[in-house]
Every structure is written in C-alpha cells, then in structure tokens.
Amino acid sequence: TGHYLNIVKQVLVKANPTLDISALLLAQAGMAAEDAGVGCVQVKYANNVVRPQTYIRKIFGDAAWAPSIGQPNHPDYPSGHSTLAGATAEILTYHFGDNFSFTDKSFVDFTGSQHFDAREHSSFTEMANEIGESRVYGQIHYPRSCVDGQALGRKVADNILSKVKFLKE
C-alpha cells in the first residue's frame, strides 16, 4: 500500500488541491488500497491458482526454471499489485479524471536513480496497466490475474466512493 499512497502524494503535489480535498483523497485511497488488499488475499486463497513457476516446473518438467523477478509465496490469482493499482487508479480518476499525466518517482526517491528510473504516466489507467504488465513480463503472474486484479481493485474503490460518506462531501 505504501507505494500506491506515495503515488497519491505525488499526484497531490502536482495538482495542489485544498487541504480538505487532499485529506479526503488520502482517506479514500488508503481505505480502497487496504480493502482491496484484503479482498485480493481472500480471492487468492479461495481460488488457489498456481504461479507460472510451479506450472512450468510441473507440467513442462523444467525443474530449474525460475521467473526473472522474485516470486511471492502465495497463490497467483489475482495479482496483488494489479488489485492495489486498480483501486488507486479508480480513486485518482474519480477526483482528477483519467487524462492526468504524472511521474512516479517513488523508487528513485527511495533507492536513488542508479537502481530505478522514474516512470512517466499519461493517465491513471495507463499506470495501472503498466503495473500489471510488469508482473506478466517478470513472469510471476498470468495476464488474466492482472486484468481481473485491476477490476477487483476498481470495484472496491467504487464501493468506497459510493458507500463511505464523509461529513463535508
């Protein structure tokens, strides 16, 4: 959740809304990301889909195959990062529209530019899509896990936006 709230912070710095709108957006994004994470884990263990590494090793018999990035030790479906990205993108889109360009410098600020580049995004949807695609390219998720994860995150965010009311909304 920390990376996604840092994205929200960077968007807030660029958009410069009033303090009450900033507080509202951070509260909604925080709730959406946390609830999406809980929902994601529930769906993961209800479905218990093996990750690509397990499938390739067992079905294709390549016992030494490993993904290009580290594989988490929980089920594949849905993608956790895609779920959180979908929730965050939905909250940000609700407040700023989808055609909002921004630069995610989260990992540059944390680790320095020698490790990670800043990521330019032309929209919140493009950001969420790239996050999911990176997990497919990293060989730790199937495409469907990322697409469905993003949809789950957006649904959770829609529920937060439609059901949780704040006093000055």
Side-chain angles (χ1 to χ4, degrees), residues 16-44:
N16 197 27
T18 59
L19 180 59
D20 58 335
I21 297 300
S22 296
L24 174 65
L25 200 143
L26 281 165
Q28 290 172 330
M31 285 187 285
E34 289 297 328
D35 283 357
V38 170
C40 177
V41 170
Q42 289 173 331
V43 174
K44 279 182 179 293

Side-chain angles (χ1 to χ4, degrees), residues 38-92:
V38 170
C40 177
V41 170
Q42 289 173 331
V43 174
K44 279 182 179 293
Y45 285 98
N47 289 283
N48 206 25
V49 174
V50 298
R51 288 187 177 268
Q53 175 177 317
T54 303
Y55 186 85
I56 289 168
R57 286 180 174 184
K58 287 187 176 184
I59 302 302
F60 294 123
D62 186 350
W65 189 88
S68 57
I69 62 176
Q71 173 179 272
N73 62 352
H74 47 74
D76 172 79
Y77 180 88
S79 159
H81 278 280
S82 296
T83 304
L84 295 176
T88 303
E90 189 71 14
I91 297 292
L92 290 169

Side-chain angles (χ1 to χ4, degrees), residues 143-166:
R144 175 61 43 203
S145 300
C146 298
V147 170
D148 290 357
Q150 192 178 136
L152 172 61
R154 288 186 180 280
K155 179 62 176 165
V156 170
D158 285 340
N159 287 338
I160 297 293
L161 291 167
S162 67
K163 297 181 186 321
V164 178
K165 299 300 175 200
F166 292 83

Side-chain angles (χ1 to χ4, degrees), residues 58-141:
K58 287 187 176 184
I59 302 302
F60 294 123
D62 186 350
W65 189 88
S68 57
I69 62 176
Q71 173 179 272
N73 62 352
H74 47 74
D76 172 79
Y77 180 88
S79 159
H81 278 280
S82 296
T83 304
L84 295 176
T88 303
E90 189 71 14
I91 297 292
L92 290 169
T93 298
Y94 177 82
H95 287 280
F96 299 114
D98 196 35
N99 294 322
F100 187 101
S101 63
F102 66 100
T103 303
D104 178 10
K105 301 183 303 175
S106 297
F107 294 104
V108 173
D109 293 344
F110 181 67
T111 64
S113 61
Q114 70 273 19
H115 298 288
F116 293 99
D117 293 330
R119 303 298 306 154
E120 302 283 338
H121 299 291
S122 60
S123 72
F124 303 121
T125 297
E126 184 259 323
M127 171 207 66
N129 290 339
E130 181 181 274
I131 287 168
E133 289 165 0
S134 74
R135 273 58 192 174
V136 174
Y137 295 145
Q139 303 164 322
I140 62 169
H141 281 298

